[in-house]
Amino acid sequence: MRQIEIVQAGIESLEMLMEWRMEVLRHVFVLPEDASIEELERANLRYYRQQIPQGGHVACFARVDGETVGCGGVCIYEEMPSPDNPNGRCAYLMNIYCREPYRHQGIGRVIVRWLVGQALDRGIKKIYLETTDSGRSLYKSVGFQEMKDMMHIVY
């Protein structure tokens, strides 16, 4: 079995973070290769430049045999404290992605567990994510549960 290595991506990895983020966006949102996403790219660059140094975002890469094959991130934020979350700290997993030849080999699971560990290390126990149908079984396998009573609005 090949060794899966998780490497935290700091601000020094900004160029690589951006390359992977744009790949994820193109794949997840099924954007054509020639689609103009310059404004979205600038917004993501601003986000990384602000949030990584402040600790509001923790990103990682997954490597197999020295090759980067996947990525993931966790956004850390606060909500009003409540009985189910007394410290108000939350984490939102996102950008979890493996390139096609490396899927279904446990890499995504290692990424998710590493990201959850990052949240837990920061005292965060309320952890969310959104999923596609293809990712649902992975997230369930590491303990995520479907939520009811949630709604959202998109303008």
mmCIF file of all heavy atoms in Angstrom, residues 101-146:
data_model
loop_
_atom_site.group_PDB
_atom_site.id
_atom_site.type_symbol
_atom_site.label_atom_id
_atom_site.label_comp_id
_atom_site.label_asym_id
_atom_site.label_seq_id
_atom_site.Cartn_x
_atom_site.Cartn_y
_atom_site.Cartn_z
ATOM 1 N N PRO A 101 -7.400 9.745 -11.165
ATOM 2 C CA PRO A 101 -6.728 8.437 -11.022
ATOM 3 C C PRO A 101 -6.494 8.016 -9.575
ATOM 4 O O PRO A 101 -6.171 6.864 -9.310
ATOM 5 C CB PRO A 101 -5.381 8.629 -11.720
ATOM 6 C CG PRO A 101 -5.401 9.953 -12.359
ATOM 7 C CD PRO A 101 -6.572 10.721 -11.833
ATOM 8 N N TYR A 102 -6.687 8.922 -8.626
ATOM 9 C CA TYR A 102 -6.394 8.638 -7.226
ATOM 10 C C TYR A 102 -7.654 8.502 -6.365
ATOM 11 O O TYR A 102 -7.557 8.362 -5.157
ATOM 12 C CB TYR A 102 -5.483 9.731 -6.657
ATOM 13 C CG TYR A 102 -4.145 9.723 -7.334
ATOM 14 C CD1 TYR A 102 -3.894 10.540 -8.425
ATOM 15 C CD2 TYR A 102 -3.140 8.861 -6.910
ATOM 16 C CE1 TYR A 102 -2.668 10.511 -9.071
ATOM 17 C CE2 TYR A 102 -1.909 8.822 -7.542
ATOM 18 C CZ TYR A 102 -1.693 9.649 -8.625
ATOM 19 O OH TYR A 102 -0.473 9.606 -9.270
ATOM 20 N N ARG A 103 -8.801 8.533 -6.993
ATOM 21 C CA ARG A 103 -10.048 8.416 -6.221
ATOM 22 C C ARG A 103 -10.281 6.967 -5.803
ATOM 23 O O ARG A 103 -9.762 6.042 -6.416
ATOM 24 C CB ARG A 103 -11.218 8.930 -7.053
ATOM 25 C CG ARG A 103 -11.082 10.418 -7.280
ATOM 26 C CD ARG A 103 -12.240 11.013 -8.008
ATOM 27 N NE ARG A 103 -11.923 12.408 -8.266
ATOM 28 C CZ ARG A 103 -12.448 13.117 -9.236
ATOM 29 N NH1 ARG A 103 -13.341 12.575 -10.030
ATOM 30 N NH2 ARG A 103 -12.093 14.372 -9.409
ATOM 31 N N HIS A 104 -11.052 6.808 -4.738
ATOM 32 C CA HIS A 104 -11.432 5.492 -4.208
ATOM 33 C C HIS A 104 -10.219 4.689 -3.734
ATOM 34 O O HIS A 104 -10.201 3.466 -3.836
ATOM 35 C CB HIS A 104 -12.244 4.703 -5.245
ATOM 36 C CG HIS A 104 -13.398 5.481 -5.786
ATOM 37 N ND1 HIS A 104 -14.515 5.781 -5.032
ATOM 38 C CD2 HIS A 104 -13.588 6.069 -7.000
ATOM 39 C CE1 HIS A 104 -15.355 6.497 -5.767
ATOM 40 N NE2 HIS A 104 -14.818 6.691 -6.950
ATOM 41 N N GLN A 105 -9.229 5.397 -3.212
ATOM 42 C CA GLN A 105 -8.032 4.745 -2.666
ATOM 43 C C GLN A 105 -7.780 5.165 -1.219
ATOM 44 O O GLN A 105 -6.704 4.936 -0.694
ATOM 45 C CB GLN A 105 -6.814 5.075 -3.536
ATOM 46 C CG GLN A 105 -6.926 4.572 -4.953
ATOM 47 C CD GLN A 105 -5.719 4.940 -5.794
ATOM 48 O OE1 GLN A 105 -4.601 5.018 -5.307
ATOM 49 N NE2 GLN A 105 -5.947 5.170 -7.076
ATOM 50 N N GLY A 106 -8.748 5.818 -0.596
ATOM 51 C CA GLY A 106 -8.610 6.212 0.797
ATOM 52 C C GLY A 106 -7.978 7.575 1.012
ATOM 53 O O GLY A 106 -7.846 8.024 2.151
ATOM 54 N N ILE A 107 -7.599 8.250 -0.052
ATOM 55 C CA ILE A 107 -6.931 9.548 0.063
ATOM 56 C C ILE A 107 -7.895 10.607 0.602
ATOM 57 O O ILE A 107 -7.553 11.373 1.504
ATOM 58 C CB ILE A 107 -6.319 9.971 -1.279
ATOM 59 C CG1 ILE A 107 -5.246 8.951 -1.682
ATOM 60 C CG2 ILE A 107 -5.742 11.382 -1.201
ATOM 61 C CD1 ILE A 107 -4.807 9.037 -3.132
ATOM 62 N N GLY A 108 -9.102 10.642 0.073
ATOM 63 C CA GLY A 108 -10.098 11.593 0.558
ATOM 64 C C GLY A 108 -10.377 11.408 2.040
ATOM 65 O O GLY A 108 -10.498 12.371 2.791
ATOM 66 N N ARG A 109 -10.454 10.158 2.464
ATOM 67 C CA ARG A 109 -10.699 9.858 3.882
ATOM 68 C C ARG A 109 -9.564 10.398 4.741
ATOM 69 O O ARG A 109 -9.786 10.982 5.807
ATOM 70 C CB ARG A 109 -10.846 8.350 4.071
ATOM 71 C CG ARG A 109 -11.144 7.945 5.508
ATOM 72 C CD ARG A 109 -11.456 6.458 5.638
ATOM 73 N NE ARG A 109 -12.777 6.185 5.050
ATOM 74 C CZ ARG A 109 -12.975 5.628 3.841
ATOM 75 N NH1 ARG A 109 -11.950 5.253 3.118
ATOM 76 N NH2 ARG A 109 -14.188 5.440 3.388
ATOM 77 N N VAL A 110 -8.319 10.238 4.288
ATOM 78 C CA VAL A 110 -7.168 10.749 5.044
ATOM 79 C C VAL A 110 -7.217 12.272 5.107
ATOM 80 O O VAL A 110 -6.963 12.864 6.159
ATOM 81 C CB VAL A 110 -5.845 10.242 4.430
ATOM 82 C CG1 VAL A 110 -4.638 10.899 5.083
ATOM 83 C CG2 VAL A 110 -5.745 8.718 4.546
ATOM 84 N N ILE A 111 -7.569 12.922 4.007
ATOM 85 C CA ILE A 111 -7.692 14.384 3.989
ATOM 86 C C ILE A 111 -8.762 14.833 4.991
ATOM 87 O O ILE A 111 -8.533 15.731 5.795
ATOM 88 C CB ILE A 111 -8.032 14.903 2.574
ATOM 89 C CG1 ILE A 111 -6.858 14.674 1.615
ATOM 90 C CG2 ILE A 111 -8.412 16.386 2.612
ATOM 91 C CD1 ILE A 111 -7.190 14.925 0.150
ATOM 92 N N VAL A 112 -9.940 14.211 4.928
ATOM 93 C CA VAL A 112 -11.046 14.606 5.806
ATOM 94 C C VAL A 112 -10.659 14.409 7.267
ATOM 95 O O VAL A 112 -10.889 15.294 8.102
ATOM 96 C CB VAL A 112 -12.336 13.829 5.457
ATOM 97 C CG1 VAL A 112 -13.415 14.058 6.501
ATOM 98 C CG2 VAL A 112 -12.834 14.242 4.075
ATOM 99 N N ARG A 113 -10.071 13.282 7.591
ATOM 100 C CA ARG A 113 -9.674 13.043 8.984
ATOM 101 C C ARG A 113 -8.641 14.063 9.447
ATOM 102 O O ARG A 113 -8.665 14.519 10.594
ATOM 103 C CB ARG A 113 -9.146 11.621 9.146
ATOM 104 C CG ARG A 113 -10.260 10.601 9.134
ATOM 105 C CD ARG A 113 -9.750 9.216 9.414
ATOM 106 N NE ARG A 113 -10.863 8.280 9.511
ATOM 107 C CZ ARG A 113 -10.791 7.017 9.180
ATOM 108 N NH1 ARG A 113 -9.661 6.495 8.741
ATOM 109 N NH2 ARG A 113 -11.840 6.238 9.292
ATOM 110 N N TRP A 114 -7.704 14.438 8.575
ATOM 111 C CA TRP A 114 -6.689 15.442 8.939
ATOM 112 C C TRP A 114 -7.365 16.790 9.205
ATOM 113 O O TRP A 114 -7.056 17.456 10.189
ATOM 114 C CB TRP A 114 -5.644 15.566 7.834
ATOM 115 C CG TRP A 114 -4.488 16.424 8.211
ATOM 116 C CD1 TRP A 114 -3.341 16.030 8.853
ATOM 117 C CD2 TRP A 114 -4.344 17.835 7.975
ATOM 118 N NE1 TRP A 114 -2.511 17.113 9.031
ATOM 119 C CE2 TRP A 114 -3.101 18.228 8.507
ATOM 120 C CE3 TRP A 114 -5.145 18.799 7.373
ATOM 121 C CZ2 TRP A 114 -2.636 19.544 8.443
ATOM 122 C CZ3 TRP A 114 -4.694 20.099 7.314
ATOM 123 C CH2 TRP A 114 -3.454 20.463 7.849
ATOM 124 N N LEU A 115 -8.297 17.174 8.335
ATOM 125 C CA LEU A 115 -8.989 18.450 8.507
ATOM 126 C C LEU A 115 -9.843 18.458 9.775
ATOM 127 O O LEU A 115 -9.854 19.449 10.516
ATOM 128 C CB LEU A 115 -9.847 18.767 7.279
ATOM 129 C CG LEU A 115 -9.084 19.033 5.982
ATOM 130 C CD1 LEU A 115 -10.042 19.059 4.800
ATOM 131 C CD2 LEU A 115 -8.269 20.308 6.071
ATOM 132 N N VAL A 116 -10.547 17.376 10.032
ATOM 133 C CA VAL A 116 -11.333 17.274 11.266
ATOM 134 C C VAL A 116 -10.397 17.382 12.467
ATOM 135 O O VAL A 116 -10.705 18.071 13.451
ATOM 136 C CB VAL A 116 -12.153 15.968 11.298
ATOM 137 C CG1 VAL A 116 -12.724 15.700 12.689
ATOM 138 C CG2 VAL A 116 -13.272 16.018 10.261
ATOM 139 N N GLY A 117 -9.242 16.733 12.393
ATOM 140 C CA GLY A 117 -8.257 16.825 13.468
ATOM 141 C C GLY A 117 -7.788 18.250 13.701
ATOM 142 O O GLY A 117 -7.593 18.666 14.852
ATOM 143 N N GLN A 118 -7.635 19.011 12.633
ATOM 144 C CA GLN A 118 -7.238 20.415 12.767
ATOM 145 C C GLN A 118 -8.303 21.199 13.529
ATOM 146 O O GLN A 118 -7.990 22.027 14.378
ATOM 147 C CB GLN A 118 -6.996 21.045 11.390
ATOM 148 C CG GLN A 118 -5.802 20.490 10.652
ATOM 149 C CD GLN A 118 -4.516 20.743 11.395
ATOM 150 O OE1 GLN A 118 -4.181 21.878 11.730
ATOM 151 N NE2 GLN A 118 -3.783 19.681 11.687
ATOM 152 N N ALA A 119 -9.566 20.928 13.221
ATOM 153 C CA ALA A 119 -10.658 21.604 13.930
ATOM 154 C C ALA A 119 -10.671 21.185 15.398
ATOM 155 O O ALA A 119 -10.752 22.031 16.293
ATOM 156 C CB ALA A 119 -11.997 21.279 13.259
ATOM 157 N N LEU A 120 -10.585 19.901 15.653
ATOM 158 C CA LEU A 120 -10.608 19.409 17.039
ATOM 159 C C LEU A 120 -9.439 19.962 17.842
ATOM 160 O O LEU A 120 -9.603 20.318 19.013
ATOM 161 C CB LEU A 120 -10.602 17.881 17.055
ATOM 162 C CG LEU A 120 -11.853 17.204 16.484
ATOM 163 C CD1 LEU A 120 -11.646 15.697 16.410
ATOM 164 C CD2 LEU A 120 -13.093 17.558 17.281
ATOM 165 N N ASP A 121 -8.267 20.053 17.218
ATOM 166 C CA ASP A 121 -7.090 20.619 17.894
ATOM 167 C C ASP A 121 -7.311 22.063 18.321
ATOM 168 O O ASP A 121 -6.657 22.562 19.231
ATOM 169 C CB ASP A 121 -5.846 20.557 16.995
ATOM 170 C CG ASP A 121 -5.310 19.156 16.824
ATOM 171 O OD1 ASP A 121 -5.762 18.228 17.540
ATOM 172 O OD2 ASP A 121 -4.432 18.970 15.949
ATOM 173 N N ARG A 122 -8.235 22.748 17.657
ATOM 174 C CA ARG A 122 -8.551 24.147 17.964
ATOM 175 C C ARG A 122 -9.777 24.264 18.868
ATOM 176 O O ARG A 122 -10.336 25.340 19.028
ATOM 177 C CB ARG A 122 -8.747 24.924 16.665
ATOM 178 C CG ARG A 122 -7.440 25.115 15.899
ATOM 179 C CD ARG A 122 -7.683 25.479 14.429
ATOM 180 N NE ARG A 122 -6.460 25.828 13.748
ATOM 181 C CZ ARG A 122 -5.559 24.953 13.307
ATOM 182 N NH1 ARG A 122 -5.745 23.657 13.490
ATOM 183 N NH2 ARG A 122 -4.465 25.369 12.673
ATOM 184 N N GLY A 123 -10.214 23.155 19.417
ATOM 185 C CA GLY A 123 -11.357 23.168 20.324
ATOM 186 C C GLY A 123 -12.699 23.265 19.635
ATOM 187 O O GLY A 123 -13.708 23.589 20.260
ATOM 188 N N ILE A 124 -12.735 22.980 18.350
ATOM 189 C CA ILE A 124 -13.968 23.091 17.568
ATOM 190 C C ILE A 124 -14.604 21.707 17.461
ATOM 191 O O ILE A 124 -13.962 20.752 17.020
ATOM 192 C CB ILE A 124 -13.679 23.652 16.162
ATOM 193 C CG1 ILE A 124 -13.053 25.035 16.283
ATOM 194 C CG2 ILE A 124 -14.947 23.666 15.318
ATOM 195 C CD1 ILE A 124 -12.476 25.559 14.989
ATOM 196 N N LYS A 125 -15.871 21.644 17.849
ATOM 197 C CA LYS A 125 -16.580 20.374 17.786
ATOM 198 C C LYS A 125 -17.791 20.428 16.869
ATOM 199 O O LYS A 125 -18.445 19.417 16.647
ATOM 200 C CB LYS A 125 -16.982 19.941 19.188
ATOM 201 C CG LYS A 125 -15.769 19.662 20.053
ATOM 202 C CD LYS A 125 -16.146 19.197 21.420
ATOM 203 C CE LYS A 125 -14.870 18.942 22.216
ATOM 204 N NZ LYS A 125 -15.137 18.709 23.617
ATOM 205 N N LYS A 126 -18.103 21.609 16.363
ATOM 206 C CA LYS A 126 -19.218 21.767 15.428
ATOM 207 C C LYS A 126 -18.605 21.929 14.037
ATOM 208 O O LYS A 126 -18.045 22.964 13.705
ATOM 209 C CB LYS A 126 -20.061 22.983 15.811
ATOM 210 C CG LYS A 126 -21.386 23.046 15.096
ATOM 211 C CD LYS A 126 -22.280 24.117 15.709
ATOM 212 C CE LYS A 126 -23.678 24.026 15.177
ATOM 213 N NZ LYS A 126 -24.552 25.042 15.778
ATOM 214 N N ILE A 127 -18.703 20.869 13.244
ATOM 215 C CA ILE A 127 -18.003 20.799 11.960
ATOM 216 C C ILE A 127 -19.025 20.469 10.874
ATOM 217 O O ILE A 127 -19.763 19.491 10.977
ATOM 218 C CB ILE A 127 -16.890 19.734 12.002
ATOM 219 C CG1 ILE A 127 -15.930 20.019 13.175
ATOM 220 C CG2 ILE A 127 -16.150 19.685 10.678
ATOM 221 C CD1 ILE A 127 -14.950 18.899 13.463
ATOM 222 N N TYR A 128 -19.041 21.288 9.852
ATOM 223 C CA TYR A 128 -19.971 21.146 8.742
ATOM 224 C C TYR A 128 -19.233 20.861 7.442
ATOM 225 O O TYR A 128 -18.037 21.117 7.321
ATOM 226 C CB TYR A 128 -20.728 22.463 8.496
ATOM 227 C CG TYR A 128 -21.581 22.961 9.605
ATOM 228 C CD1 TYR A 128 -21.116 23.930 10.492
ATOM 229 C CD2 TYR A 128 -22.889 22.504 9.752
ATOM 230 C CE1 TYR A 128 -21.928 24.419 11.503
ATOM 231 C CE2 TYR A 128 -23.706 22.996 10.756
ATOM 232 C CZ TYR A 128 -23.219 23.954 11.628
ATOM 233 O OH TYR A 128 -24.016 24.435 12.620
ATOM 234 N N LEU A 129 -20.002 20.428 6.445
ATOM 235 C CA LEU A 129 -19.528 20.386 5.068
ATOM 236 C C LEU A 129 -20.727 20.240 4.155
ATOM 237 O O LEU A 129 -21.817 19.902 4.596
ATOM 238 C CB LEU A 129 -18.522 19.251 4.837
ATOM 239 C CG LEU A 129 -18.942 17.806 5.109
ATOM 240 C CD1 LEU A 129 -19.816 17.222 4.018
ATOM 241 C CD2 LEU A 129 -17.688 16.957 5.238
ATOM 242 N N GLU A 130 -20.529 20.552 2.901
ATOM 243 C CA GLU A 130 -21.515 20.271 1.860
ATOM 244 C C GLU A 130 -20.933 19.152 1.029
ATOM 245 O O GLU A 130 -19.714 19.006 0.946
ATOM 246 C CB GLU A 130 -21.737 21.496 0.965
ATOM 247 C CG GLU A 130 -22.464 22.619 1.654
ATOM 248 C CD GLU A 130 -22.646 23.802 0.729
ATOM 249 O OE1 GLU A 130 -23.341 23.659 -0.303
ATOM 250 O OE2 GLU A 130 -22.082 24.856 1.032
ATOM 251 N N THR A 131 -21.787 18.373 0.409
ATOM 252 C CA THR A 131 -21.282 17.248 -0.371
ATOM 253 C C THR A 131 -22.035 17.090 -1.683
ATOM 254 O O THR A 131 -23.167 17.538 -1.820
ATOM 255 C CB THR A 131 -21.357 15.935 0.430
ATOM 256 O OG1 THR A 131 -20.728 14.892 -0.325
ATOM 257 C CG2 THR A 131 -22.778 15.543 0.757
ATOM 258 N N THR A 132 -21.370 16.440 -2.581
ATOM 259 C CA THR A 132 -22.014 15.970 -3.799
ATOM 260 C C THR A 132 -22.484 14.546 -3.514
ATOM 261 O O THR A 132 -22.086 13.933 -2.514
ATOM 262 C CB THR A 132 -21.015 15.950 -4.970
ATOM 263 O OG1 THR A 132 -19.934 15.063 -4.631
ATOM 264 C CG2 THR A 132 -20.479 17.341 -5.267
ATOM 265 N N ASP A 133 -23.296 14.006 -4.389
ATOM 266 C CA ASP A 133 -23.742 12.623 -4.207
ATOM 267 C C ASP A 133 -22.553 11.662 -4.195
ATOM 268 O O ASP A 133 -22.522 10.710 -3.423
ATOM 269 C CB ASP A 133 -24.729 12.221 -5.312
ATOM 270 C CG ASP A 133 -26.091 12.882 -5.128
ATOM 271 O OD1 ASP A 133 -26.417 13.290 -3.986
ATOM 272 O OD2 ASP A 133 -26.830 12.995 -6.124
ATOM 273 N N SER A 134 -21.554 11.944 -5.009
ATOM 274 C CA SER A 134 -20.403 11.032 -5.080
ATOM 275 C C SER A 134 -19.543 11.076 -3.821
ATOM 276 O O SER A 134 -18.848 10.109 -3.523
ATOM 277 C CB SER A 134 -19.541 11.343 -6.314
ATOM 278 O OG SER A 134 -18.997 12.637 -6.219
ATOM 279 N N GLY A 135 -19.603 12.153 -3.047
ATOM 280 C CA GLY A 135 -18.806 12.245 -1.835
ATOM 281 C C GLY A 135 -19.530 11.820 -0.568
ATOM 282 O O GLY A 135 -18.915 11.609 0.475
ATOM 283 N N ARG A 136 -20.844 11.666 -0.659
ATOM 284 C CA ARG A 136 -21.665 11.385 0.518
ATOM 285 C C ARG A 136 -21.192 10.158 1.300
ATOM 286 O O ARG A 136 -21.078 10.191 2.518
ATOM 287 C CB ARG A 136 -23.124 11.214 0.092
ATOM 288 C CG ARG A 136 -24.104 11.206 1.241
ATOM 289 C CD ARG A 136 -25.543 11.284 0.736
ATOM 290 N NE ARG A 136 -25.779 12.331 -0.238
ATOM 291 C CZ ARG A 136 -25.945 13.627 0.043
ATOM 292 N NH1 ARG A 136 -25.899 14.033 1.287
ATOM 293 N NH2 ARG A 136 -26.164 14.502 -0.914
ATOM 294 N N SER A 137 -20.895 9.072 0.639
ATOM 295 C CA SER A 137 -20.505 7.849 1.366
ATOM 296 C C SER A 137 -19.164 8.032 2.080
ATOM 297 O O SER A 137 -18.973 7.491 3.168
ATOM 298 C CB SER A 137 -20.461 6.646 0.420
ATOM 299 O OG SER A 137 -19.474 6.830 -0.569
ATOM 300 N N LEU A 138 -18.261 8.781 1.495
ATOM 301 C CA LEU A 138 -16.981 9.061 2.158
ATOM 302 C C LEU A 138 -17.230 9.775 3.482
ATOM 303 O O LEU A 138 -16.718 9.357 4.523
ATOM 304 C CB LEU A 138 -16.077 9.923 1.261
ATOM 305 C CG LEU A 138 -14.925 10.646 1.962
ATOM 306 C CD1 LEU A 138 -13.919 9.652 2.530
ATOM 307 C CD2 LEU A 138 -14.259 11.624 1.027
ATOM 308 N N TYR A 139 -18.011 10.830 3.450
ATOM 309 C CA TYR A 139 -18.241 11.621 4.655
ATOM 310 C C TYR A 139 -19.006 10.829 5.717
ATOM 311 O O TYR A 139 -18.707 10.927 6.900
ATOM 312 C CB TYR A 139 -18.937 12.930 4.311
ATOM 313 C CG TYR A 139 -18.136 13.742 3.322
ATOM 314 C CD1 TYR A 139 -18.687 14.166 2.129
ATOM 315 C CD2 TYR A 139 -16.789 14.041 3.568
ATOM 316 C CE1 TYR A 139 -17.937 14.892 1.216
ATOM 317 C CE2 TYR A 139 -16.041 14.752 2.656
ATOM 318 C CZ TYR A 139 -16.621 15.177 1.483
ATOM 319 O OH TYR A 139 -15.875 15.881 0.582
ATOM 320 N N LYS A 140 -19.966 10.027 5.276
ATOM 321 C CA LYS A 140 -20.672 9.171 6.235
ATOM 322 C C LYS A 140 -19.709 8.176 6.874
ATOM 323 O O LYS A 140 -19.826 7.875 8.056
ATOM 324 C CB LYS A 140 -21.830 8.446 5.545
ATOM 325 C CG LYS A 140 -23.027 9.331 5.311
ATOM 326 C CD LYS A 140 -24.187 8.528 4.738
ATOM 327 C CE LYS A 140 -25.426 9.386 4.658
ATOM 328 N NZ LYS A 140 -26.594 8.635 4.206
ATOM 329 N N SER A 141 -18.755 7.682 6.106
ATOM 330 C CA SER A 141 -17.830 6.674 6.628
ATOM 331 C C SER A 141 -16.902 7.218 7.714
ATOM 332 O O SER A 141 -16.354 6.443 8.495
ATOM 333 C CB SER A 141 -16.999 6.065 5.494
ATOM 334 O OG SER A 141 -15.963 6.935 5.080
ATOM 335 N N VAL A 142 -16.720 8.537 7.768
ATOM 336 C CA VAL A 142 -15.887 9.115 8.834
ATOM 337 C C VAL A 142 -16.745 9.750 9.939
ATOM 338 O O VAL A 142 -16.210 10.372 10.843
ATOM 339 C CB VAL A 142 -14.844 10.130 8.311
ATOM 340 C CG1 VAL A 142 -13.767 9.446 7.520
ATOM 341 C CG2 VAL A 142 -15.482 11.243 7.527
ATOM 342 N N GLY A 143 -18.070 9.569 9.854
ATOM 343 C CA GLY A 143 -18.928 9.983 10.954
ATOM 344 C C GLY A 143 -19.855 11.154 10.702
ATOM 345 O O GLY A 143 -20.653 11.503 11.576
ATOM 346 N N PHE A 144 -19.795 11.795 9.546
ATOM 347 C CA PHE A 144 -20.716 12.893 9.267
ATOM 348 C C PHE A 144 -22.122 12.335 9.094
ATOM 349 O O PHE A 144 -22.304 11.228 8.591
ATOM 350 C CB PHE A 144 -20.295 13.674 8.016
ATOM 351 C CG PHE A 144 -19.176 14.632 8.266
ATOM 352 C CD1 PHE A 144 -17.861 14.216 8.155
ATOM 353 C CD2 PHE A 144 -19.428 15.944 8.635
ATOM 354 C CE1 PHE A 144 -16.816 15.092 8.403
ATOM 355 C CE2 PHE A 144 -18.397 16.826 8.884
ATOM 356 C CZ PHE A 144 -17.089 16.395 8.759
ATOM 357 N N GLN A 145 -23.107 13.112 9.527
ATOM 358 C CA GLN A 145 -24.495 12.702 9.437
ATOM 359 C C GLN A 145 -25.286 13.737 8.658
ATOM 360 O O GLN A 145 -24.964 14.925 8.668
ATOM 361 C CB GLN A 145 -25.089 12.569 10.845
ATOM 362 C CG GLN A 145 -24.370 11.549 11.700
ATOM 363 C CD GLN A 145 -24.871 11.552 13.137
ATOM 364 O OE1 GLN A 145 -25.797 12.275 13.490
ATOM 365 N NE2 GLN A 145 -24.251 10.735 13.955
ATOM 366 N N GLU A 146 -26.345 13.262 8.010
ATOM 367 C CA GLU A 146 -27.241 14.162 7.292
ATOM 368 C C GLU A 146 -27.883 15.110 8.304
ATOM 369 O O GLU A 146 -28.125 14.742 9.456
ATOM 370 C CB GLU A 146 -28.344 13.373 6.586
ATOM 371 C CG GLU A 146 -27.843 12.365 5.575
ATOM 372 C CD GLU A 146 -27.405 12.976 4.261
ATOM 373 O OE1 GLU A 146 -27.712 14.157 3.993
ATOM 374 O OE2 GLU A 146 -26.737 12.272 3.492
#
